[in-house]
Amino acid sequence: MHAYTLASVAVPVTAGLYGLVGVIRGRAAVRHRRALDRWAVVLADPYQAALERWWPNDAVQAAAARLLLDGLVTVNHRGNLDPAPAAADPARTPGHPLPEGVLAALRRRSAPATLGSLVLRDEEFATVRREFREARPEFLTVGEPAGAPKPGLYLVLAEMLFCVFGLMSLQPDGDAQWTAAWAVWTGVIAQVIWFPVYNRARGSGWKKDAEAVEAARLGPPHPALQALDVRDPEAFRRLRVSRLRTRRGRNRGRPRCRRTRAETGGHLSTG
């Protein structure tokens, strides 16, 4: 086996393998940028950004917080929400479908209601939430890139064995052939190193995309929640209570009639 023949195989194959790694990393960078651009469109609306978050930082909680900040609703110590007199002013509208849906649901009630009750039982509000979710733009699916086909990997292994056996029987003559032989050895070693480099390039690109999308989705809380927590911590705490409670209570919010034992006994004695 001639050294030049081995070099003409090992060097181009090595260059091609590392060129494949460069292509994979370039495609991962493009996919990463597209994912962030697509999520930037979603994050332009803070309610869309909070839509998939867990309570108490979700979009419904943020919509109620916005109404409290604007003075359109009030919340008592039991978490019951009630439209404020300012809500009757047509000029004082929330300006967003989700807070408007919460306010409309409260107006449909004959008595104050908890936020948990609206989420659980108000069908019209559920329709508003579903339509708002459907209006979200389609996201870029970020999945793990496909690996190289197994036949291609088998060909690389076969090429490596071919070069190794050729080097073992090689008897270079002159500086040029020794240079070619060393080029073959360098190529074979680089091809051995290529396998973990290739796997790392695929995995890191996918992980980078997934982490970027997750960080964009699970960003800071909605501005309304942050502002309410700073401006009125008590209302912020009551709003959380409102989301946990699905019923207003056995007395439906009316003050209970409390009688003393003496009053009860006196009533019975006169009867």
Side-chain angles (χ1 to χ4, degrees), residues 204-267:
S204 63
W206 171 80
K207 185 178 181 181
K208 183 180 180 183
D209 294 340
E211 288 178 350
V213 171
E214 190 68 8
R217 188 176 68 87
L218 301 178
H222 191 280
L225 291 172
Q226 293 178 323
L228 184 63
D229 189 18
V230 173
R231 185 185 304 179
D232 194 347
E234 181 63 20
F236 182 78
R237 184 190 64 81
R238 292 179 178 183
L239 186 60
R240 291 195 173 189
V241 173
S242 179
R243 184 61 178 274
L244 289 174
R245 294 185 60 237
T246 58
R247 295 182 181 274
R248 298 179 61 248
R250 291 178 298 175
N251 63 336
R252 298 182 180 275
R254 296 188 294 271
R256 296 180 181 178
C257 180
R258 300 182 180 273
R259 297 181 180 180
T260 64
R261 183 175 299 178
E263 290 174 341
T264 305
H267 177 73

Side-chain angles (χ1 to χ4, degrees), residues 24 28 31 143-147 201-203 205-206:
I24 291 175
R31 186 175 61 251
E144 186 174 2
R202 290 180 59 240
W206 171 80

Side-chain angles (χ1 to χ4, degrees), residues 1-4 170-181:
M1 184 69 65
H2 203 281
Y4 298 148
L170 190 64
Q171 295 181 352
D173 184 14
D175 293 341
Q177 293 191 20
W178 275 108
T179 301

Side-chain angles (χ1 to χ4, degrees), residues 87-160:
D89 185 0
R92 300 279 305 271
T93 58
H96 193 279
L98 212 54
E100 289 176 358
V102 175
L103 185 58
L106 291 173
R107 285 172 174 170
R108 287 191 295 268
R109 297 297 183 99
S110 58
T114 64
L115 192 59
S117 177
L118 297 181
V119 173
L120 186 63
R121 297 184 176 88
D122 196 295
E123 295 183 359
E124 293 187 31
F125 182 53
T127 302
V128 171
R129 293 170 61 196
R130 183 175 61 254
E131 292 176 350
F132 183 65
R133 181 178 290 105
E134 292 174 352
R136 169 181 281 197
E138 295 183 1
F139 297 136
L140 179 66
T141 302
V142 180
E144 186 174 2
K150 288 185 177 180
L153 296 178
Y154 294 153
L155 288 175
V156 173
L157 291 174
E159 180 269 341
M160 292 172 61

